[in-house]
Amino acid sequence: MRFAARRHRGWPVLTLVALLAIGAQALAQTDPLPSWNDGPAKQAIVAFVQATTDQSSPTFVPPEARIATFDQDGTLWVEHPMYSQVIYCLERVPAVVKAKPELATVEPFKTVLSGNREAMAKLSMRDLEKILAATLTGMSVDEFNAEARKWLAMAKDPRWKRLYTELTYLPMQEVLKYLRANGYKTYIVTGGGQDFVRVYAEQTYGIPPEQVVGTAGGTKFGYAKNGKPFLTKEPRLLLNDNNAGKPEGIHLMIGRRPYAAFGNSTGDRQMLEYAKAGDGTRLSMLVLHDDATREYAYGPARGLPATKVGAFTQALYDEAKQQGWVVISMKNDWKRIFAFE
Amino acid sequence: MRFAARRHRGWPVLTLVALLAIGAQALAQTDPLPSWNDGPAKQAIVAFVQATTDQSSPTFVPPEARIATFDQDGTLWVEHPMYSQVIYCLERVPAVVKAKPELATVEPFKTVLSGNREAMAKLSMRDLEKILAATLTGMSVDEFNAEARKWLAMAKDPRWKRLYTELTYLPMQEVLKYLRANGYKTYIVTGGGQDFVRVYAEQTYGIPPEQVVGTAGGTKFGYAKNGKPFLTKEPRLLLNDNNAGKPEGIHLMIGRRPYAAFGNSTGDRQMLEYAKAGDGTRLSMLVLHDDATREYAYGPARGLPATKVGAFTQALYDEAKQQGWVVISMKNDWKRIFAFE
């Protein structure tokens, strides 16, 4: 009895430590997504990770094949009322016109210089393309990176008065980290400019430049006067990373079909189809912007206008149901939207 | 004394184990490149790794920026007398002509079908491009991969009677592993077809598809009759990954300047220049084919003909000296050339 009592006295500390350890582990295992409400979206993500990383699962995926792709605008960060990169290009127009004064009297540059926001909002896709080509090309890659970095460190979204890079969705940041902790390589596959997004992707999302696939122009190798080689950005389009361009870009840059894909607009449709059509367990998810209070509400249920590139049609949500994509309701699935809340 | 003697008797095993452990570690640290003879080439590689990975070094490179790029043909494996991929394309011509019988009477297909090796050796670069376009496009990405995989598992080099994937240089395989063990991401940057090299790069070099940059054509996204999406290979050239195309391809696919680059021909010149021109410690190396007995001798010292794409000019070796690139002599620097020797 005394012996037993001694053992009894001796055990609780160890037991407690063991229970704490198990508890911490269980907590880490059961709550990898603390900003998500319990529901079908969160469950789908957790179930996908278990089905593809548990060695005893019939749909186990070897670590080297674990690829997950994320659209950026509207999927990882705010895209309304205008893509950040478009704002960047519009704000660069005065500098471009200073270098090429003849543009001051030519549309669409004239409208942008007028500062008339209503007129600017009416610019066509073709106008925007002209502005993008003029503002993003002709400089060296190093100059471009330095300019973009400067702007990103300073420019703020007018609604939240925050840097654009702070307007990323905390629940999606958790998904990125959760997938990486489970051996997935996370990629951004964006309609935005590849070079632009690469400037901040590592710091903002933990995604290195080589894992950013985006709309990409050519560069031209040449030599500076001192003989040093450098690259200049050219207007030649190599990859329009929207719509069918997304799976095509994924093949070009990654060479494997993703096991998970995340998007929010018709520009992501083909990527979501491509991921989902692979064998084994695949996850395609669609972010629905239905939270007018905490972010924005647009898309089929709201009748708000589509962005210049992406559209949010009822047909896309019908296809999601048919194909077994999981719709993420920002309103219902996300406890918090931003880290700064 | 007895106590001391007991301790004396007790220690040697532990001491031995400790010494063995230290010895093994020291050996691993001092001989990461066992197939290399001691000399300036081996020393340059080891010094580069120490200068960029030792935290106390003024030229320390953070792990995420550690990028090393390798040309393939003539740098990682045998390229003489003909690139393996060209042989593959020539051998696919009968199947292509079977599908499109009208090509049988058209040059250069007629010459290839004749089987006349001397006539085939005289085909121009333009002829080869026509053959490559005809044999590498029009099929789905999945079909292409399956075809290439089948050929690679069976086709043998006539001199060594070995699979082409066995003809990789053991000393370069050691460099790949050594760099990876020190946190470097290793990339292939090849003039060869990106999709072709991706088929075997993972198994052959430990390099995953997403780390293969090569000459790349476009693909086209579409749907099969059953509604499944798939990609078809198109003849449209997106990236000619030779000469200036190498740094341009590196920017497109990786987005960072490499800290180390390895090549062997004028097709690698701009990549070697680009890597070496970065700040901090950079390593550019040039493989010299000067071993007629164990492999081939060609290039400036031997007067053997250049391959169809790469040239091996005296000017390239002069530039190597000027720019501080390190020349690797296969004859003098490599103890063994192939793993099967």
Side-chain angles (χ1 to χ4, degrees):
Chain A
M1 265 305 275
R2 278 198 66 190
F3 210 98
R6 230 175 33 224
R7 277 158 78 189
H8 224 94
R9 271 208 312 277
W11 278 17
V13 175
L14 280 180
T15 310
L16 195 64
V17 169
L19 284 177
L20 276 172
I22 293 164
Q25 206 180 4
L27 198 70
Q29 277 174 359
T30 54
D31 199 8
L33 303 169
S35 300
W36 290 70
N37 288 315
D38 281 327
K42 180 174 180 170
Q43 285 160 17
I45 299 165
V46 173
F48 166 78
V49 167
Q50 285 171 346
T52 57
T53 61
D54 178 351
Q55 289 231 347
S56 67
S57 160
T59 55
F60 174 76
V61 176
E64 66 274 15
R66 294 181 196 162
I67 302 285
T69 56
F70 294 79
D71 167 58
Q72 184 191 223
D73 295 296
T75 299
L76 292 180
W77 75 355
V78 174
E79 66 180 351
H80 255 281
M82 213 181 246
Y83 298 140
S84 312
Q85 193 181 356
V86 172
I87 301 168
Y88 170 67
C89 291
L90 293 176
E91 294 189 3
R92 280 211 68 235
V93 165
V96 170
V97 172
K98 204 175 165 190
K100 294 183 191 168
E102 68 275 17
L103 292 178
T105 54
V106 178
E107 289 296 356
F109 302 95
K110 198 174 151 187
T111 296
V112 176
L113 288 174
S114 75
N116 181 338
R117 294 219 154 231
E118 268 183 54
M120 277 156 73
K122 284 179 193 152
L123 290 175
S124 71
M125 192 61 213
R126 219 182 141 73
D127 289 332
L128 286 179
E129 275 171 8
K130 275 185 201 162
I131 294 165
L132 263 67
T135 51
L136 299 181
T137 64
M139 51 204 323
S140 80
V141 163
D142 291 339
E143 281 166 359
F144 172 84
N145 289 349
E147 282 290 325
R149 192 166 286 119
K150 209 163 73 182
W151 185 80
L152 286 158
M154 176 205 77
K156 291 192 172 172
D157 175 273
R159 173 169 166 189
W160 283 281
K161 319 265 186 285
R162 295 269 174 181
L163 298 178
Y164 290 104
T165 50
E166 290 180 88
L167 297 184
T168 64
Y169 306 135
L170 182 61
M172 294 306 287
Q173 292 273 17
E174 292 171 0
V175 173
L176 288 170
K177 282 181 192 146
Y178 177 47
L179 287 174
R180 288 198 290 261
N182 283 282
Y184 275 88
K185 262 193 181 174
T186 54
Y187 282 81
I188 290 174
V189 178
T190 174
Q194 183 167 281
D195 284 346
F196 184 77
V197 178
R198 280 175 169 176
V199 169
Y200 57 85
E202 190 146 33
Q203 212 184 329
T204 305
Y205 302 112
I207 294 180
E210 61 269 26
Q211 286 167 223
V212 174
V213 180
T215 295
T219 56
K220 193 172 168 57
F221 179 86
Y223 301 91
K225 278 184 190 159
N226 64 3
K228 287 251 176 191
F230 73 104
L231 294 169
T232 308
K233 286 175 73 69
E234 290 201 311
R236 181 169 49 98
L237 184 71
L238 283 182
L239 174 65
N240 178 357
D241 201 40
N242 284 296
N243 306 308
K246 290 211 174 192
E248 290 162 8
I250 287 169
H251 179 71
L252 176 67
M253 308 278 290
I254 311 177
R256 312 193 202 237
R257 192 192 293 254
Y259 275 84
F262 300 78
N264 79 306
S265 83
T266 52
D268 305 313
R269 184 165 74 91
Q270 288 87 341
M271 174 172 77
L272 297 170
E273 289 172 346
Y274 185 60
K276 190 70 183 171
D279 52 13
T281 298
R282 308 271 171 161
L283 179 68
S284 286
M285 298 192 88
L286 196 59
V287 176
L288 175 66
H289 292 262
D290 59 356
D291 195 327
T293 311
R294 295 187 299 169
E295 203 239 15
Y296 294 101
Y298 50 95
R302 303 295 165 139
L304 262 194
T307 61
K308 290 286 178 186
V309 173
F312 312 88
T313 61
Q314 187 56 48
L316 188 65
Y317 290 87
D318 293 345
E319 180 169 354
K321 271 197 189 163
Q322 275 166 20
Q323 304 280 346
W325 307 347
V326 181
V327 174
I328 299 166
S329 159
M330 291 180 73
K331 192 174 176 178
N332 301 322
D333 286 316
W334 290 357
K335 263 184 218 166
R336 285 171 72 186
I337 293 196
F338 302 111
F340 58 76
E341 277 172 7
Chain B
M1 264 307 272
R2 278 200 65 192
F3 209 98
R6 240 188 10 238
R7 276 158 81 189
H8 223 95
R9 272 208 310 278
W11 279 19
V13 176
L14 280 180
T15 310
L16 197 64
V17 169
L19 284 176
L20 276 172
I22 293 163
Q25 208 180 1
L27 200 69
Q29 277 173 359
T30 55
D31 199 7
L33 303 168
S35 300
W36 291 69
N37 287 315
D38 280 328
K42 180 174 179 171
Q43 284 159 17
I45 299 166
V46 173
F48 165 78
V49 167
Q50 284 171 348
T52 57
T53 61
D54 178 351
Q55 289 232 347
S56 67
S57 161
T59 55
F60 174 77
V61 176
E64 66 274 15
R66 293 183 197 161
I67 302 285
T69 56
F70 293 79
D71 167 58
Q72 186 193 221
D73 294 296
T75 299
L76 293 179
W77 76 353
V78 175
E79 65 180 350
H80 255 282
M82 212 180 246
Y83 297 141
S84 310
Q85 193 181 356
V86 172
I87 301 169
Y88 170 66
C89 291
L90 293 175
E91 294 189 3
R92 279 212 67 233
V93 165
V96 170
V97 172
K98 205 176 165 188
K100 294 184 190 168
E102 67 276 17
L103 292 179
T105 54
V106 178
E107 288 298 357
F109 302 95
K110 199 175 152 188
T111 297
V112 177
L113 288 174
S114 75
N116 181 336
R117 293 221 155 228
E118 269 183 56
M120 278 157 72
K122 285 179 194 152
L123 291 174
S124 70
M125 192 61 214
R126 220 184 138 74
D127 288 332
L128 285 180
E129 275 172 8
K130 276 185 200 161
I131 294 165
L132 262 68
T135 52
L136 299 181
T137 64
M139 50 203 324
S140 79
V141 163
D142 291 340
E143 281 166 1
F144 173 84
N145 289 349
E147 281 291 325
R149 192 166 285 121
K150 209 163 73 184
W151 185 81
L152 286 157
M154 175 204 78
K156 291 193 173 172
D157 175 90
R159 173 170 166 188
W160 283 281
K161 318 264 187 287
R162 295 268 175 181
L163 298 178
Y164 290 103
T165 50
E166 290 180 87
L167 297 184
T168 64
Y169 306 135
L170 182 61
M172 294 305 288
Q173 292 273 16
E174 291 172 1
V175 174
L176 288 169
K177 283 180 192 146
Y178 177 47
L179 288 174
R180 289 199 290 260
N182 283 281
Y184 276 87
K185 264 194 179 174
T186 54
Y187 282 81
I188 290 174
V189 178
T190 175
Q194 183 167 281
D195 284 348
F196 184 76
V197 179
R198 280 175 168 175
V199 169
Y200 57 86
E202 190 147 33
Q203 212 184 329
T204 304
Y205 302 112
I207 294 180
E210 62 269 26
Q211 285 166 225
V212 175
V213 180
T215 295
T219 56
K220 195 175 165 55
F221 179 87
Y223 301 92
K225 278 184 189 158
N226 64 4
K228 286 249 177 193
F230 73 104
L231 294 169
T232 308
K233 285 175 73 70
E234 289 201 312
R236 180 170 49 100
L237 184 70
L238 283 183
L239 174 65
N240 178 357
D241 201 39
N242 285 296
N243 306 308
K246 289 211 175 192
E248 291 162 8
I250 287 169
H251 179 71
L252 176 67
M253 308 280 288
I254 310 176
R256 311 193 204 240
R257 192 191 294 252
Y259 275 83
F262 300 78
N264 79 306
S265 84
T266 52
D268 305 314
R269 184 166 74 90
Q270 289 86 341
M271 174 172 77
L272 297 170
E273 290 171 344
Y274 184 60
K276 190 69 183 171
D279 52 12
T281 298
R282 309 270 172 162
L283 179 68
S284 286
M285 298 192 88
L286 195 60
V287 176
L288 175 66
H289 292 262
D290 59 356
D291 195 328
T293 311
R294 296 186 300 169
E295 203 239 14
Y296 294 102
Y298 49 96
R302 304 293 167 140
L304 262 193
T307 61
K308 290 285 180 188
V309 174
F312 313 88
T313 61
Q314 188 55 48
L316 188 65
Y317 290 87
D318 294 345
E319 180 170 354
K321 271 196 190 163
Q322 275 167 19
Q323 304 280 346
W325 308 345
V326 182
V327 174
I328 299 166
S329 159
M330 291 179 74
K331 192 173 177 180
N332 301 321
D333 286 316
W334 291 357
K335 262 186 218 165
R336 284 171 72 188
I337 294 196
F338 302 111
F340 58 76
E341 276 172 8

